[in-house]
Amino acid sequence: MTSYKDKKVITIGVVHELTGLSERQIRYYEERGLVFPDRSKKGTRKYSFNDVELLMDIANKREEGVQTYEIRQDMKKEEKKRQVREEMLRGQLNAHFNMRK
Amino acid sequence: MTSYKDKKVITIGVVHELTGLSERQIRYYEERGLVFPDRSKKGTRKYSFNDVELLMDIANKREEGVQTYEIRQDMKKEEKKRQVREEMLRGQLNAHFNMRK
DNA sequence: CGTGTAAGGAATTCTGACACG
DNA sequence: CGTGTAAGGAATTCTGACACG
C-alpha cells in the first residue's frame, strides 16, 4: 500500500533540483499547508516523490496566478471527493456482503 | 523504463537510516565497486531505492561472512547472465522477423 | 580485509526577520 | 501575498589517514 513514491527520503536541496522551486518557496508552501514533509531526528525536512509531484503541480498553478490559499481549498475539495467515493464503495461492499449472509 | 526506484536522490545519511549500515561501510562498498551512487554538483553522494535494496543484500551477505570481493564476483556473474539472456532474446526476435520477411 | 574514529574543511539546512509590494 | 536575502548556528558530508587485526 505504501510504495517508494510515498517514502519521505528526499532532502530539500534535491527537491529544489527536481522541481526548480527555491528552498524558500518549498518551505513557504509547507507553511501554507500544501505539503507535509517528514522531519529527520535532527529536524531536516524529508520529502517523497509524491511530494515532488505535488510541488510541481503547485508550481504550475502558481504560474497561472493561483494563490496558495485557493490551491489549498482545491486540495481540500479533492480530499473530500476521495473520502466520499471511498465511503460509497465501502457502503456498497457492506450491502453486498449483508445480502449474502 | 527508469522509475522512481532508479532515481538517485537519497543522501548517505538517509541510506544509513534505511539500511542500518554505517556511512563508512556504505562508502567502502562503493570503493570496492559494489554500489555506484551519483554525485551532486557539490560532490555529495546520491543513492536510489535500488541502491538501498542492493546495500541490504550486501549487508546480508557480509553477515554470512562473504567478502566484498566475492560479492563483486557474484554480481558480475549475474550481470553476465542477464546479458546472455538478453542477447538470446534478441537473436530469437531477429530470427522470427527475418523468417517473416 | 573491513570498519571505527578523530580532523578539518566545505556545503546543507534551519529559523526568525527585514524588505518589497 | 509570495519570495529574496543576509545572519548565525547546528548538522551533514567529504577526503585522507591512522588503528586494529
Side-chain angles (χ1 to χ4, degrees), chain A residues 3-90:
Chain A
S3 72
Y4 289 125
K5 275 195 72 173
D6 301 303
K7 276 226 135 192
K8 309 245 180 184
V9 296
I10 311 177
T11 57
I12 196 166
V14 177
V15 173
H16 157 64
E17 284 175 22
L18 295 175
T19 61
L21 292 167
S22 71
E23 301 185 4
R24 180 69 167 96
Q25 288 174 308
I26 299 168
R27 294 198 190 98
Y28 181 65
Y29 299 154
E30 174 181 0
E31 193 181 316
R32 300 310 310 269
L34 302 182
V35 231
F36 303 95
D38 275 3
R39 293 289 181 129
S40 75
K41 296 151 201 164
K42 296 307 179 56
T44 70
R45 273 165 264 250
K46 302 294 177 198
Y47 300 84
S48 67
F49 281 113
N50 257 335
D51 291 332
V52 171
E53 291 191 359
L54 177 56
L55 283 166
M56 297 181 91
D57 290 344
I58 293 171
N60 287 333
K61 295 243 184 93
R62 285 292 303 128
E63 274 182 27
E64 295 168 14
V66 185
Q67 297 196 342
T68 58
Y69 177 77
E70 304 174 65
I71 298 176
R72 179 143 166 62
Q73 295 308 310
D74 291 349
M75 285 174 54
K76 280 187 185 170
K77 275 182 200 160
E78 284 307 312
E79 178 59 20
K80 206 83 185 175
K81 274 191 205 165
R82 274 199 34 256
Q83 282 180 13
V84 171
R85 274 196 293 264
E86 191 182 328
E87 278 163 26
M88 286 187 60
L89 181 61
R90 208 172 288 287

Side-chain angles (χ1 to χ4, degrees), chain B residues 32-34 67-76:
Chain B
R32 300 312 309 269
L34 302 182
Q67 297 195 343
T68 57
Y69 177 78
E70 305 174 65
I71 298 176
R72 178 143 166 60
Q73 295 308 310
D74 291 348
M75 284 175 54
K76 279 186 185 171

Side-chain angles (χ1 to χ4, degrees), chain B residues 21-32:
Chain B
L21 293 166
S22 71
E23 301 186 4
R24 180 71 167 94
Q25 288 174 308
I26 299 167
R27 292 197 192 100
Y28 181 67
Y29 299 153
E30 175 181 359
E31 193 181 317
R32 300 312 309 269

